[in-house]
């Protein structure tokens, strides 16, 4: 079982010392005075300015400058992401759970989520201006919201898995917990960007511990659920007056593959399964140089849920078998088919 790699995320906290981003300042360039606020440390920004000497339309020219500003902003962030990734690898001895340096689509993510833009144009002089910027506080809030949703989803999975386990749906509980592991990759990404945009180390540590605690909880629950469905199986099989243990062994093999363990005391079981099997002669057919014998195996099966002392299934199931060596061997052949059918019935009814 693969362990949740959330503990590797603590390496991100080592990056807090470099979480303040330094970019090229465009203050030496001319730009509208009202943009001065975007050049402070509260923002990550890129400004482009130029003269429309090619006679482009105002819209085309400002769009050209704006695309250049977006690209410049994305490149600055990509460079910093690469630097942080390299440091993360060094701090983690070359091992981190997500290769952030391979995130080449940063600009697309930021365009959709965080980047704000403005343009200005002087029709008389043909001078154009464009700015693309990200507010650090807004960016941190965005990823805090993302991480909050992710952590809530993890917590909900843990609660749901606990309810499923209590109700006897232990296989479904395992599936829910395994599925919840996918949330941790999203959490790592949010933590990384929160660090990039300057979240304090105490805040990062708090989120980290919450994720670590959830990861430990999930691993503990999965460990307890491994082979957690306890079954008390009582199987009495009779072949024309002779007891046969093969059917019970086959049933145990089928159920153990589905995560069942077996107990002798019904009071310690989640489920009690009782199977009583008898055999009966059916007929025989002469076929060339030999005789083919046919027998039936009839099984009465009862399934009880021990938590509620409730009988949830009771029925008679039959199977026919044939053999050339007599009715007893024909009955044993019928038992093999009966084991598959009984196994399916049990699995369907004890909610594996």
């Amino acid at each position: 079982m693969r362990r949740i790699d959330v503990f590797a995320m603590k390496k991100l906290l080592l990056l807090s010392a470099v979480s303040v981003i330094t970019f090229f300042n465009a203050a030496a360039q001319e730009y509208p005075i009202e943009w001065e606020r975007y050049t402070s440390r509260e923002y990550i920004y890129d400004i482009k300015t130029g003269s429309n000497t090619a006679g482009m339309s105002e819209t085309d020219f400002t769009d050209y400058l704006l695309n250049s500003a977006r690209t410049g902003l994305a490149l600055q962030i990509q460079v910093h992401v690469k630097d942080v990734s390299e440091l993360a690898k060094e701090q983690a001895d070359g091992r981190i759970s997500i290769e952030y340096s391979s995130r080449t689509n940063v600009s697309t993510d930021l365009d959709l989520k965080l980047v704000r833009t403005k343009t200005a144009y002087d029709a008389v002089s043909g001078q154009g201006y464009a700015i693309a910027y990200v507010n650090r506080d807004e960016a941190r809030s965005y990823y805090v919201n993302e991480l909050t949703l992710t952590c809530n989803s993890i917590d909900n999975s843990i609660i749901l898995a606990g309810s499923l386990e209590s109700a006897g749906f232990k296989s479904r509980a395992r599936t829910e917990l395994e599925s919840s592991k996918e949330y941790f990759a999203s959490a790592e990404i949010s933590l990384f960007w929160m660090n990039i945009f300057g979240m304090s180390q105490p805040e990062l540590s708090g989120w980290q511990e919450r994720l670590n605690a959830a990861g430990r909880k999930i691993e503990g629950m999965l460990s307890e659920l491994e082979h957690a469905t306890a079954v008390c199986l009582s199987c009495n099989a009779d072949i024309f007056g002779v007891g046969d243990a093969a059917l019970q062994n086959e049933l145990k093999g089928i159920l153990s593959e589905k995560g069942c363990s077996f107990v002798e005391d019904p009071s310690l079981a989640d489920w009690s399964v009782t199977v009583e099997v008898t055999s009966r002669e059916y007929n025989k057919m002469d076929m060339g140089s030999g005789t083919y014998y046919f027998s039936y195996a009839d099984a009465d099966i009862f399934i009880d849920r021990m938590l509620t002392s409730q009988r949830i299934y009771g029925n008679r199931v039959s199977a026919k078998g044939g053999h050339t060596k007599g009715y007893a061997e024909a009955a044993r052949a019928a038992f093999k088919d009966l084991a598959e059918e009984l196994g399916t019935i049990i699995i369907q009814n004890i909610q594996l």
Side-chain angles (χ1 to χ4, degrees), residues 187-203:
E188 289 187 54
I189 293 174
S190 294
L191 275 176
F192 180 83
W193 285 108
M194 286 156 63
N195 187 29
I196 288 291
F197 289 114
M199 177 165 280
S200 69
Q201 183 171 345
E203 289 178 289

Side-chain angles (χ1 to χ4, degrees), residues 3-7 9 154-155 158 177 180-181 184 208-222:
R3 291 191 63 81
I4 295 173
D5 205 22
V6 65
F7 301 104
M9 290 190 287
I154 294 171
D155 293 341
I158 291 173
L177 291 172
S180 71
K181 293 181 180 182
F184 286 86
Q208 183 71 70
E209 180 50 38
R210 178 176 176 179
L211 288 164
N212 286 347
R216 290 191 295 268
K217 177 68 173 178
I218 290 171
E219 292 295 351
M221 292 176 70
L222 284 171

